[in-house]
Amino acid sequence: MRKLREIIRLKLQAGQSGRGIARACGLSPSTVNEYVARIALAGLAWPLPPELDDDAALERLLFPDEGHPVSNRPEPDWRYVHRELQRRHVTKMLLWQEYKEATPGGLQYSQFCDKYLRWAKPLSATMRQAHHAGEKTFIDFSGSGLDVVDPFTGECRKAVLFLAVLGASNLTYAEPVLNQDLPAWIGCHVRACEYFGGTTEIWVPDNPRVGVTKAGKYEPILNRTYEELSAHFGAAVIPARPYRPRDKAKVEVAVQIASRWILAALRNRTFYSLEEMRIAVSELLEKLNGRKMRRLDKSRRELFQEIERAALKPLPPRPFDYAEWSQPKVDLSYHVEHDDHFYSVHFSLIGEKLDLRATETTVEILRRGTRIESYARSYAKGKYTTRKEHMPRAHLDQVEWTPERLTSWASKTGPKTVALLEAIMASKAHPQQGFKACLGILRQAKDYPRERVERAAARALHFGTLNSGSVASILRHNLDQLPLPGDEPQQALPLHENIRGRGYYH
């Protein structure tokens, strides 16, 4: 306040210029010019009247607008300025130069910037950020949701909203989902891009585990399927930094708005299917995007058509091929597992970790980024798909054996041997896994009579010991000579006058 009184004295008493006052008071010329403008508007004269001896009174007179610059110069249309700043490569300097050409007596650049920021202050935090058209899409799930009631069991499941918001126009896409899993995450992205009719250069999700495998401030690791999706649409995924809500403030506000205008509006409705809820959300979404925003006097849809539609990248010509990625380890049977089915690789890769990419119809196996095998996807649980060229020589010799050939050979020994071999092969995930045990049983016929092998097979079946070692032990210890429990012959009853027999009762 002391310098302000000195500026008033130097201007009104000494008649100094603005630059001279700036040098004398150690202030910038722009600050002095602002104070001089306020002094002129207030109509002050030197010496100051007694009622302005109080610093507070002088401050109230010169700064009735709480420090805002006072100017009677014509101002630009700030709505137009704000909309134009969303366009690619448009800057405040360019807009100020255009404004000065149309209004030579208008604001200087510093006042232009200051007044624009003050005008934009009542807007949401996200709208004050100058997001360029076609640059960013902000993505998140809503925290709250609505219940979907099973009409048969009465069970309630909560559906939350998937939200995607374009940075420049605020056009919003919303879709209810019951699961926040990978298929839902990917499918919602695809449908959001179709709703917008294109895609932006950058996607800014939060750090959901379904899309970001490992969150990080500098190098987050994306899910491989999500990475493929972004490459398909030609977008770069830049997740928001952890614990930096301003990075995704745009979608945070969209979540709040969607909660008020969609979820709250549907709070009294009961939904019996997700499709029914989708239709209701879609209707309210169109109303939301068509409602005018007060400060901009335009709707999200109008802003989108005006400044952002043409800036979006076009959709790719072919649909996205959804694929799941995993890193299975090659087991001792030289197979890798996906969805409880096993696919073979060369036996030399036993113990290595490989990359597996599975679509609806194919399974690809990659090693260090190079595809080494490709299969038609099988949905048979617990089964094996094996190629002969992947087998070692010893296993390849066994390929000539088939379940039918083994049971045909066993039929020469007897029906119990056939039944034992069938039980052994049925107990394995794949019949070939029981071939060695079957061959071991059949070769016992070289050392023992077939009748003994048949009795040993019957005993092994009775006790459920389905392996060749058990049959060999039975034969070695002559257990096949013993009757099975329940097969012992009933001893004849002795004749005695006190034993009536069953005929007595008839």
Side-chain angles (χ1 to χ4, degrees), residues 439-450:
L439 290 172
I441 293 169
L442 293 175
R443 283 169 184 162
Q444 296 295 329
K446 291 184 177 180
D447 301 323
Y448 299 95
R450 291 182 177 178

Side-chain angles (χ1 to χ4, degrees), residues 360-491:
E360 187 178 1
T361 57
T362 62
V363 170
E364 296 174 282
I365 302 169
L366 302 93
R367 182 172 182 255
R368 298 172 187 170
T370 301
R371 187 176 68 181
I372 58 174
E373 297 297 337
S374 180
Y375 291 92
R377 181 168 179 174
S378 173
Y379 290 90
K381 304 292 185 181
K383 302 298 183 181
Y384 286 71
T385 300
T386 307
R387 290 177 175 164
K388 291 184 179 181
E389 59 267 24
H390 295 157
M391 297 180 172
R393 184 70 250 176
H395 290 196
L396 192 59
D397 293 339
Q398 276 192 347
V399 172
E400 303 303 324
W401 293 100
T402 63
E404 293 76 16
R405 185 177 179 186
L406 289 172
T407 54
S408 176
W409 189 7
S411 63
K412 298 175 182 179
T413 303
K416 294 296 183 182
T417 307
V418 172
L420 178 61
L421 265 60
E422 289 176 343
I424 289 173
M425 289 185 284
S427 69
K428 304 297 182 181
H430 192 279
Q432 288 184 351
Q433 294 176 320
F435 282 5
K436 282 189 176 181
C438 295
L439 290 172
I441 293 169
L442 293 175
R443 283 169 184 162
Q444 296 295 329
K446 291 184 177 180
D447 301 323
Y448 299 95
R450 291 182 177 178
E451 295 77 10
R452 289 196 62 187
V453 175
E454 176 72 0
R455 289 197 298 271
R459 193 172 189 85
L461 275 173
H462 180 83
F463 289 102
T465 53
L466 306 179
N467 57 75
S468 60
S470 176
V471 174
S473 178
I474 292 170
L475 292 169
R476 189 166 57 252
H477 294 94
N478 297 318
L479 299 178
D480 59 293
Q481 306 296 336
L482 301 178
L484 292 174
D487 290 346
E488 298 90 344
Q490 186 175 357
Q491 295 181 352

Side-chain angles (χ1 to χ4, degrees), residues 76-139:
D77 180 355
W78 297 119
R79 290 192 183 93
Y80 169 79
V81 171
H82 185 78
R83 289 199 303 270
E84 290 301 302
L85 282 174
Q86 314 307 309
R87 295 183 182 273
R88 188 179 296 276
H89 309 307
V90 176
T91 63
K92 292 176 187 175
M93 177 61 77
L94 175 63
L95 294 175
W96 174 75
Q97 289 175 348
E98 294 174 350
Y99 156 73
K100 285 292 284 184
E101 289 175 2
T103 313
L107 302 173
Q108 296 303 312
Y109 180 66
S110 60
Q111 289 184 320
F112 178 90
C113 294
D114 185 68
K115 282 182 174 290
Y116 167 70
L117 292 177
R118 294 183 187 281
W119 176 89
K121 189 175 182 179
L123 297 175
S124 69
T126 58
M127 294 181 70
R128 289 199 301 271
Q129 300 176 23
H131 298 298
H132 297 296
E135 182 186 21
K136 291 181 180 179
T137 303
F138 297 85
I139 302 156

Side-chain angles (χ1 to χ4, degrees), residues 46-62:
W46 190 264
L48 295 176
E51 61 269 19
L52 295 181
D53 288 345
D54 181 14
D55 289 347
L58 181 61
E59 185 177 0
R60 283 194 300 271
L61 176 65
L62 294 180

Side-chain angles (χ1 to χ4, degrees), residues 224-338:
R224 288 288 294 273
T225 305
Y226 193 31
E227 200 173 57
E228 276 195 330
L229 177 73
S230 64
H232 177 78
F233 282 96
V237 178
I238 304 179
R241 293 170 297 173
Y243 312 111
R244 294 294 186 273
R246 285 184 61 84
D247 287 3
K248 55 185 178 69
K250 174 77 69 172
V251 76
E252 293 288 348
V253 173
V255 167
Q256 185 182 58
I257 293 173
S259 298
R260 291 173 179 173
W261 293 99
I262 297 178
L263 297 180
L266 299 174
R267 68 191 184 281
N268 294 323
R269 285 189 58 177
T270 302
F271 296 97
Y272 295 100
S273 71
L274 186 63
E275 186 58 35
E276 180 187 358
M277 185 183 291
R278 279 179 177 157
I279 294 172
V281 168
S282 176
E283 292 172 354
L284 291 176
L285 178 64
E286 292 310 310
K287 291 183 180 179
L288 172 64
N289 284 328
R291 184 178 292 111
K292 287 187 181 295
M293 295 179 282
R294 284 179 297 177
R295 291 289 287 180
L296 299 179
D297 198 33
K298 284 185 179 290
S299 69
R300 291 169 172 80
R301 179 69 66 182
E302 289 172 332
L303 273 178
F304 171 75
Q305 296 294 346
E306 181 179 330
I307 68 174
E308 195 151 30
R309 177 67 187 90
L312 295 180
K313 289 185 175 182
L315 295 174
R318 59 181 180 83
F320 177 66
D321 191 14
Y322 175 82
E324 294 181 353
W325 286 83
S326 60
Q327 286 188 308
K329 187 176 181 180
V330 183
D331 61 21
L332 292 176
S333 67
Y334 45 89
H335 288 75
V336 293
E337 182 268 339
H338 179 74

Side-chain angles (χ1 to χ4, degrees), residues 30-55:
S30 61
T31 301
V32 171
N33 289 337
E34 178 188 337
Y35 287 177
V36 168
R38 291 177 180 273
I39 293 166
L41 287 176
L44 292 179
W46 190 264
L48 295 176
E51 61 269 19
L52 295 181
D53 288 345
D54 181 14
D55 289 347

